[in-house]
Amino acid sequence: MKRVLTTVFLLPLVIFLVFKAPSAYFFFFISLIIVLGLAEFFGMLAQGKQACSPYLGMIIGWLLSLTFFQERVDLTQFLLTLAPMMLLAVRLTHGGNLLEASQGAFNTLFGVFYVSWLSSHFLLLRNLDAGRDYLFFVFLVIWLGDTGAYYGGR
């Protein structure tokens, strides 16, 4: 019942954000998804006793989505060049050897790529001619797959 109520309230919001809302509202929606996704990803790493820099990873992930929103390829490239060096430097200053620092930097960077890089493409997809239709289809497939897995997996 909880999932049905969530769908009843969230589906109109998603339809509005995809089809009618200004780009800035859609950006904040995708940003929220990215930050929550990164928090979940880094939480799973922490649960598995894997090193990472969650707060820095969330900041880098959000900044990455901002470069996509502004369609600034130069800033995207700059951030992707700077991020690994910055993460490694931060991990090294927290002590430990190079192997532990590089593992923590890699874990953080992987989370940024897996969650933020991929999700940020929704911002570019929305700007295509039929992009809003593609986006709605993707969200619908994700939603139906998640619901089917929840009810079918019992």
Side-chain angles (χ1 to χ4, degrees):
M1 185 63 174
K2 181 179 171 185
R3 286 193 174 256
V4 173
L5 290 175
T6 303
T7 301
V8 167
F9 289 111
L10 285 182
L11 189 59
L13 176 65
V14 170
I15 290 171
F16 169 73
L17 288 169
V18 168
F19 289 105
K20 299 290 182 191
S23 296
Y25 289 177
F26 186 71
F27 167 70
F28 286 118
F29 172 66
I30 295 299
S31 293
L32 180 64
I33 290 173
I34 287 171
V35 170
L36 291 175
L38 285 170
E40 183 177 357
F41 181 84
F42 294 136
M44 288 188 296
L45 285 177
Q47 215 172 20
K49 308 266 190 264
Q50 295 291 318
C52 65
S53 300
Y55 298 114
L56 187 55
M58 284 189 250
I59 291 169
I60 293 169
W62 183 80
L63 287 173
L64 184 61
S65 70
L66 183 62
T67 66
F68 272 72
F69 174 64
Q70 295 178 338
E71 297 185 24
R72 293 285 308 268
V73 176
D74 58 331
L75 291 178
T76 304
Q77 292 171 341
F78 176 73
L79 184 63
L80 293 177
T81 302
L82 181 65
M85 293 182 287
M86 186 171 45
L87 285 166
L88 189 56
V90 166
R91 297 299 305 170
L92 282 171
T93 59
H94 281 93
N97 60 30
L98 182 60
L99 182 62
E100 291 171 357
S102 59
Q103 183 65 44
F106 173 79
N107 287 342
T108 305
L109 200 57
F110 181 76
V112 168
F113 274 107
Y114 183 66
V115 177
S116 185
W117 173 266
L118 295 176
S119 298
S120 292
H121 283 81
F122 288 144
L123 298 167
L124 299 177
L125 186 61
R126 188 174 190 253
N127 294 334
L128 296 177
D129 289 337
R132 294 169 193 244
D133 296 328
Y134 295 148
L135 270 177
F136 184 70
F137 178 72
V138 168
F139 286 138
L140 188 64
V141 167
I142 291 169
W143 216 325
L144 291 173
D146 184 47
T147 303
Y150 177 76
Y151 286 115
R154 287 185 177 200

